[in-house]
Amino acid sequence: MAVLKEGSRPPWVGLAAAVWVQIAAGTAYTFPLYSPALKSVLGFSQQQLTIIGVANDIGENVGILPGIACNKYPPWVILLVGVCFAFSGYGVLWLAVSQTLLSLPYWVLWLALVVATNSSAWMGTAVLVTNMRNFPLSRGTVAGILKGYIGLSGAVFTEIFAMVLNDSASDLLLFLTLGIPIICLAMMYFIRACTPASGEDSSEHVHFLFTQAASLLLAVYLLTTTILKNMLSLNSSISYILAGVMVIFLMSPLAIPLKMTLFPSPYKRSGKLDGSSNNLTEEEVSSSQTASLLTPISSEADLGSFHEGEDVSEVDMLLAVGEGAVKKKRKPRRGEDFKFRQAVIKADFWLLWLAYFLGVGSGVTVLNNLAQIGVALGVNDTTILLSLFSFCNFLGRLGAGVVSEHFVRSKTIPRTFWMMVTQIIMIITFLLYASALSGTLYAATALLGVCFGVQFGVMIPTASELFGLKHFGIIFNFMQLGNPIGALLFSGLLAGYVYDMEAGKQQGSHCLGPNCFRLTFLVLAGVSAFGSFLSMILTIRIRPVYQMLYAAGSFRLAQASDH
């Protein structure tokens, strides 16, 4: 009997728990909240601060080890490593900023931030890989939801920072030291692998829509309350109530498994579907996933005919294999499961990496320097800028999953098409920043947030569709190396140098005026232009692959095998 899990309770509980882990994994987006304290308390120059910011990005995105570990260990082990890293890394930063320990060396703080934000790589890898394997037919939607929440985490932490912690950088770092481990330890039990559904379920679409709507309402709520906090003088009681409502919004995805538990469908009550994976051993779950569910349904003959022009029927090929006439192992083709060493030699792999590197590298430069950009352009309270960027980053990630999923199924347009479109918009955005025209700062930040988020929402499912889910953890994490490398080149070496040079002309440690970042923005506009060109080439190259994989209207995965 086939074991099917069409929207069964475990995957939806795991997705709801993953929302909290993804919020906890977004601590790298809090850097603009405490970076001014690092600069003032510890006496850093802007270039020293931007190099610290590079450590923030390196830690967050160097996930090769968790990528390897996710194929060897259960998700709770990966999460536990992230808990230890968050506690130790942010603990050291708290000791420095609170001046509990004085005169900590610069390199110690740099390494501490790498360790602290590397917890995000362990947490994010554990929940993303597990949930994409649990929902292989909706990988674009799942990636958009989970990466959307991690993009929204900056606004969540800004809300906590402003409403509960009274804008105290020291208290924020203490919260990250203790709160992040507590959240992950509480969610650890619920993040588990289960046997995915063998076919698409109509109720699953409704459940995803509910989750997306809940996340969108949370995003609007966070942006609204942040603006109100800056416009009105709210007492502590109201601030705590607003923070409590935010927690309720974060718990809303739990409504799906609660509904499925309290009101199961008649079909599942009849026993035709096993609604829980609790009866499956971990080995059976893993075997079912990797052996039967993560392989495109196209046979060797089908794919061989598509890629090589062979005119061999599927029946003939199967007979030949059965009779022993065909024994030679072939290399995987796009859409099948690649090992990392097989993927890394493909041109599509590096085109995707370069396009992603140019997109996120330029975007993270603005994010790491957002507080200084705001001050240079006359904005004293930059929390609204961070909240706006976070909100739009969330929209980009969520929207990339929804929009690309629709067009890839209906028109077989590769997801990278949207990477190209948004990088063209980024050119305009950086020119807006460089012009420093009155009233354009918030519009440019909003546009950049959306475009920055799309890069994540597109890269993740694209990598899984081209190179499979079996070794997705390490492939996806290698792709993410584009973020810290871009931060080092464009933020640490370019933006920090230009800022300090202009500050020197003004004979001070702080730079004011549009010249502080103008040259940086002009360079980033050129970077985005090249990135859009690479995205266009990749889109043209992989369009035939998507036409084949989505020929039936949905990603063609093998049916669950009988046990």
Side-chain angles (χ1 to χ4, degrees):
M1 175 181 175
V3 180
L4 305 177
K5 301 291 177 226
E6 293 191 36
S8 61
R9 186 172 180 269
W12 290 100
V13 171
L15 187 64
V19 165
W20 284 82
V21 176
Q22 287 293 78
I23 293 294
T27 54
Y29 293 101
T30 64
F31 183 73
L33 295 176
Y34 61 83
S35 62
L38 286 175
K39 187 172 184 179
S40 60
V41 173
L42 304 177
F44 292 157
S45 68
Q46 183 62 26
Q47 189 162 22
Q48 285 178 310
L49 189 64
T50 54
I51 295 297
I52 285 280
V54 171
N56 185 73
D57 297 304
I58 289 176
E60 180 192 15
N61 295 284
V62 177
I64 300 298
L65 288 179
I68 296 172
C70 70
N71 276 1
K72 298 178 180 291
Y73 304 102
W76 70 266
V77 174
I78 315 299
L79 288 172
L80 187 60
V81 175
V83 164
C84 296
F85 280 15
F87 177 79
S88 57
Y90 283 113
V92 171
L93 291 173
W94 173 75
L95 291 173
V97 172
S98 65
Q99 297 185 302
T100 304
L101 286 181
L102 301 176
S103 303
L104 282 174
Y106 180 84
W107 66 268
V108 171
L109 296 175
W110 194 91
L111 287 178
L113 188 55
V114 170
V115 171
T117 54
N118 194 236
S119 65
S120 301
W122 290 86
M123 298 172 194
T125 297
V127 298
L128 183 64
V129 172
T130 301
N131 279 278
M132 286 187 70
R133 288 174 175 174
N134 288 347
F135 296 98
L137 293 169
S138 305
R139 60 188 71 184
T141 303
V142 170
I145 290 172
L146 292 181
K147 298 306 286 187
Y149 270 106
I150 202 172
L152 199 57
S153 61
V156 171
F157 287 117
T158 300
E159 182 100 347
I160 295 171
F161 180 72
M163 299 286 190
V164 180
L165 303 178
N166 299 315
D167 297 334
S168 170
S170 176
D171 289 347
L172 174 64
L173 288 170
L174 181 60
F175 174 80
L176 298 179
T177 302
L178 301 177
I180 301 307
I182 290 173
I183 291 172
C184 290
L185 288 172
M187 297 296 114
M188 189 180 294
Y189 173 78
F190 304 103
I191 308 296
R192 60 176 65 183
C194 70
T195 304
S198 63
E200 294 183 282
D201 182 11
S202 59
S203 64
E204 186 173 280
H205 179 65
V206 175
H207 294 157
F208 280 130
L209 283 179
F210 173 82
T211 307
Q212 291 163 342
S215 63
L216 183 58
L217 287 174
L218 172 63
V220 173
Y221 176 80
L222 290 170
L223 182 62
T224 303
T225 52
T226 302
I227 294 173
L228 287 176
K229 176 68 175 177
N230 284 272
M231 293 179 61
L232 304 175
S233 179
L234 304 178
N235 61 43
S236 58
S237 298
I238 295 177
S239 296
Y240 291 147
I241 291 172
L242 293 175
V245 173
M246 177 191 72
V247 172
I248 294 173
F249 273 115
L250 285 170
M251 295 176 65
S252 58
L254 280 172
I256 296 171
L258 285 175
K259 173 255 181 186
M260 298 176 73
T261 302
L262 297 175
F263 306 101
S265 67
Y267 184 65
K268 292 183 180 180
R269 277 202 302 266
S270 68
K272 293 182 181 180
L273 280 177
D274 181 1
S276 171
S277 63
N278 293 337
N279 296 326
L280 291 177
T281 66
E282 188 174 316
E283 290 78 7
E284 287 173 324
V285 170
S286 176
S287 174
S288 172
Q289 284 176 290
T290 56
S292 63
L293 283 158
L294 306 181
T295 307
I297 198 169
S298 300
S299 66
E300 293 188 17
D302 183 22
L303 285 172
S305 176
F306 174 78
H307 288 279
E308 300 167 8
E310 298 174 359
D311 187 15
V312 182
S313 72
E314 185 171 344
V315 174
D316 290 339
M317 177 61 78
L318 291 174
L319 289 173
V321 172
E323 294 170 0
V326 177
K327 295 181 179 180
K328 183 179 179 181
K329 292 184 179 180
R330 61 172 177 81
K331 296 179 180 179
R333 299 184 177 93
R334 290 179 295 189
E336 298 180 321
D337 286 323
F338 281 72
K339 295 180 179 179
F340 176 72
R341 64 177 180 271
Q342 294 170 327
V344 79
I345 61 174
K346 296 296 182 181
D348 293 341
F349 181 94
W350 289 106
L351 279 172
L352 181 60
W353 188 91
L354 284 171
Y356 175 76
F357 152 69
L358 296 174
V360 298
S362 55
V364 80
T365 300
V366 175
L367 177 60
N368 285 352
N369 295 276
L370 195 56
Q372 289 71 35
I373 291 170
V375 171
L377 297 180
V379 177
N380 294 323
D381 188 351
T382 57
T383 56
I384 293 182
L385 279 177
L386 178 60
S387 187
L388 179 63
F389 185 94
S390 182
F391 172 76
C392 294
N393 183 19
F394 157 77
L395 290 181
R397 294 178 186 223
L398 184 68
V402 174
V403 174
S404 69
E405 192 79 14
H406 170 74
F407 281 96
V408 82
R409 290 173 182 266
S410 62
K411 305 293 184 181
T412 64
I413 296 176
R415 302 179 197 274
T416 50
F417 172 80
W418 304 105
M419 185 180 282
M420 176 190 71
V421 170
T422 51
Q423 287 179 346
I424 292 173
I425 297 173
M426 288 173 77
I427 301 172
I428 301 170
T429 302
F430 289 128
L431 293 178
L432 279 177
Y433 274 119
S435 68
L437 295 175
S438 177
T440 60
L441 177 60
Y442 291 99
T445 301
L447 278 175
L448 186 64
V450 171
C451 297
F452 182 69
V454 168
Q455 310 307 308
F456 290 90
V458 165
M459 181 276 288
I460 294 169
T462 300
S464 75
E465 288 164 343
L466 292 180
F467 306 112
L469 281 171
K470 188 173 182 180
H471 300 282
F472 170 71
I474 186 171
I475 291 173
F476 149 70
N477 277 294
F478 186 88
M479 288 284 175
Q480 288 212 135
L481 289 176
N483 197 322
I485 294 174
L488 174 63
L489 295 177
F490 306 134
S491 181
L493 300 182
L494 174 63
Y497 173 78
V498 172
Y499 183 96
D500 285 339
M501 182 178 64
E502 291 297 327
K505 292 179 182 178
Q506 298 178 15
Q507 298 182 342
S509 59
H510 297 284
C511 180
L512 299 175
N515 286 335
C516 300
F517 291 96
R518 177 167 285 159
L519 177 60
T520 300
F521 291 136
L522 293 176
V523 171
L524 295 182
V527 166
S528 296
F530 186 50
S532 63
F533 174 71
L534 293 179
S535 300
M536 179 184 67
I537 293 176
L538 179 60
T539 301
I540 294 171
R541 280 180 56 89
I542 65 177
R543 177 69 189 277
V545 180
Y546 277 78
Q547 288 174 329
M548 181 270 295
L549 293 178
Y550 285 87
S554 62
F555 197 63
R556 297 161 63 191
L557 298 176
Q559 301 296 312
S561 59
D562 290 342
H563 290 276

